Amino acid sequence: MTKNIAVLTGDGIGPEIMAEALKVLHAVGKKYGHIFNCEEAPFGASAYFSHGNPFPKEAQDVCDRADAIMKGPVGLAVNEMNRIPQEMRPEIGAILPLRKRYNTFANYRPVRLPASLASLSPLKPEIIGKGIDILMIRELVGGLYFGDKVEGTATGMKYSSDELIYTADEVRDIARVAFNEARKGKVKLTNVHKANVLATSRFWNAIVDTVRAEYTDVVYESVLVDNAAYQLVKNPAQYNGVMLFENMQGDILTDQAGGILGSLGLMPSACVGPAKTYVEPAHGSAPDIAGKNIANPYSMIGSVALMLEKAFGLDREANAVWNALTRVLTDGYRTVELTDASTKKEYILGTKEFGDRVRDIVAE
Ligand code: IPM
Ligand code: MN
């Protein structure tokens, strides 16, 4: 097949990890006979400085005509970020508008750690047990992050507010995505909420219950978000399957899941809407290590696998990328943030060398 892909390289380590992801993407194209036409566009904090907007019109046009979007991490060092007005910061001025523009309401964050890689996790091997395999699904275009805001100041207006709204349609749509995934994988679904306090959570649960009635084959449980945070450290494997979150709770607990894996560098993600999908690593742009060839490209390369799967339906190709990523790690190779005193020097790879290995395995 032939696909057009918008490439938003982003800031910080973005260019380095994107280069590796594109390398792997083109290896997939070559091996399986697909053409991926990639068009780069400015996006993020550096785009604000060069174009006056972190998601400038030309980037919107490139994204509009693309079949899918690959986005790198965004954000520069604090002193540079401080020169950007609040509404032009990449989070508010680029990421949220990108999500809204394509209504990418379903955020997939797979959290996978096979037992053979248990040593990557800061948790004890017996807690990792037979391995972690949780597909975290987060609602991405509603809730607190998109509600009306009133912003007070210490010296001016004496209050602030962020409105938290969920409509029945929004809850139903994301719940269906989660139940479909649970049904497909023949796994349990855990719905996360804060219904002991929040009206929106009680409403969320009531709508989830109506969807549940269509999926009586799926094993279902629900858990309070604070308890889920606790249980994810005590015994994460109990949630193997699908976890469903609203926007903010999912934002927080997916980062916690990165901690279980030992690095947010191991956390790719896909943001899926009715007409367009974009993919991105779940981590930031790490400006402190940019340009040093030490960033872990796993999450950006894994995002390629998610794009192949979710945007193009190329499951075989996606699996080839997942398998290659896992093999590099099970062969013992590590980027530096995954190492400890026992890691042999010849197994520590730079960003490029890690990408080379993944590409070579895909090409085999
Ligand atoms: C994420 C990020 C974003 C979010 C920020 C950068 C807007 O933390 O994708 O998890 O909060 O969703
Ligand atoms: Mn986050």
Side-chain angles (χ1 to χ4, degrees):
M1 62 171 61
T2 300
K3 292 288 179 192
N4 298 321
I5 298 168
V7 175
L8 311 174
T9 302
D11 305 313
I13 59 172
E16 293 164 82
I17 61 174
M18 186 63 84
E20 300 317 306
L22 291 174
K23 208 188 248 179
V24 173
L25 176 69
H26 292 304
V28 168
K30 190 159 175 218
K31 166 114 187 216
Y32 296 94
H34 306 299
I35 296 170
F36 300 114
N37 297 315
C38 295
E39 192 176 358
E40 283 198 34
F43 188 87
S46 41
Y48 168 75
F49 288 115
S50 60
H51 291 72
N53 191 304
F55 187 18
K57 175 82 171 48
E58 50 258 70
Q60 295 176 11
D61 292 343
V62 171
C63 291
D64 283 354
R65 56 177 181 259
D67 297 305
I69 301 160
M70 285 169 68
K71 175 197 151 291
V74 296
L76 294 170
V78 181
N79 58 326
E80 287 167 293
M81 292 296 270
N82 286 341
R83 290 166 44 217
I84 308 180
Q86 185 59 37
E87 70 288 358
M88 286 285 149
R89 299 259 172 116
E91 296 88 344
I92 301 293
I95 299 180
L96 297 192
L98 174 69
R99 291 174 182 170
K100 215 33 171 197
R101 187 174 187 86
Y102 303 114
N103 189 21
T104 56
F105 68 97
N107 182 209
Y108 292 74
R109 295 189 167 172
V111 183
R112 291 198 198 112
L113 192 70
S116 58
L117 291 173
S119 65
L120 292 179
S121 177
L123 301 179
K124 295 184 193 118
E126 56 269 32
I127 289 179
I128 302 302
K130 297 199 181 84
I132 310 290
D133 190 354
I134 307 173
L135 176 58
M136 294 190 160
I137 294 185
R138 166 188 174 199
E139 197 292 323
L140 202 61
V141 295
L144 215 38
Y145 293 10
F146 288 89
D148 283 344
K149 291 170 198 335
V150 174
E151 194 152 344
T153 57
T155 50
M157 193 172 50
K158 288 284 180 286
Y159 78 97
S160 288
S161 72
D162 292 278
E163 199 172 38
L164 170 47
I165 297 183
Y166 269 107
T167 68
D169 286 347
E170 286 172 333
V171 181
R172 200 175 298 118
D173 288 349
I174 193 67
R176 287 217 171 102
V177 168
F179 275 101
N180 281 336
E181 289 295 332
R183 174 176 278 169
K184 205 167 78 189
K186 299 191 171 52
V187 290
K188 155 174 104 168
L189 186 150
T190 304
N191 173 39
V192 179
H193 62 85
K194 186 66 184 169
N196 55 349
V197 177
L198 298 178
T200 39
S201 272
R202 287 189 291 275
F203 176 73
W204 173 282
N205 287 354
I207 304 295
V208 168
D209 278 342
T210 66
V211 175
R212 222 177 114 189
E214 303 162 23
Y215 295 85
T216 47
D217 53 314
V218 173
V219 178
Y220 172 88
E221 64 178 27
S222 68
V223 61
L224 287 163
V225 63
D226 42 356
N227 188 27
Y230 169 76
Q231 297 292 339
L232 273 170
V233 177
K234 290 281 281 184
N235 176 17
Q238 70 182 292
Y239 295 128
N240 281 353
V242 174
M243 289 183 97
L244 169 63
F245 305 92
E246 65 88 70
N247 201 345
M248 184 176 190
Q249 295 173 19
D251 186 21
I252 297 168
L253 290 199
T254 55
D255 260 45
Q256 186 176 330
I260 295 171
L261 298 177
S263 168
L264 264 186
L266 299 174
M267 177 87 78
S269 94
C271 311
V272 179
K276 192 112 56 187
T277 287
Y278 90 86
V279 295
E280 63 181 352
H283 58 70
S285 56
D288 52 321
I289 61 162
K292 296 187 173 157
N293 193 41
I294 57 173
N296 186 350
Y298 181 110
S299 58
M300 195 71 239
I301 299 173
S303 296
V304 168
L306 284 173
M307 176 177 72
L308 293 168
E309 189 180 318
K310 304 290 176 214
F312 307 149
L314 296 173
D315 290 356
R316 180 188 53 162
E317 289 80 345
N319 280 331
V321 176
W322 289 127
N323 291 338
L325 280 168
T326 305
R327 209 171 96 204
V328 172
L329 294 174
T330 51
D331 282 350
Y333 295 104
R334 302 283 183 265
T335 43
V336 69
E337 92 285 8
L338 295 172
T339 60
D340 58 28
S342 73
T343 316
K344 294 207 186 71
K345 240 186 149 168
E346 59 272 28
Y347 282 93
I348 305 177
L349 300 183
T351 310
K352 275 202 186 72
E353 293 67 34
F354 193 99
D356 285 347
R357 278 192 184 268
V358 178
R359 177 204 52 203
D360 291 348
I361 296 170
V362 166
E364 261 169 21

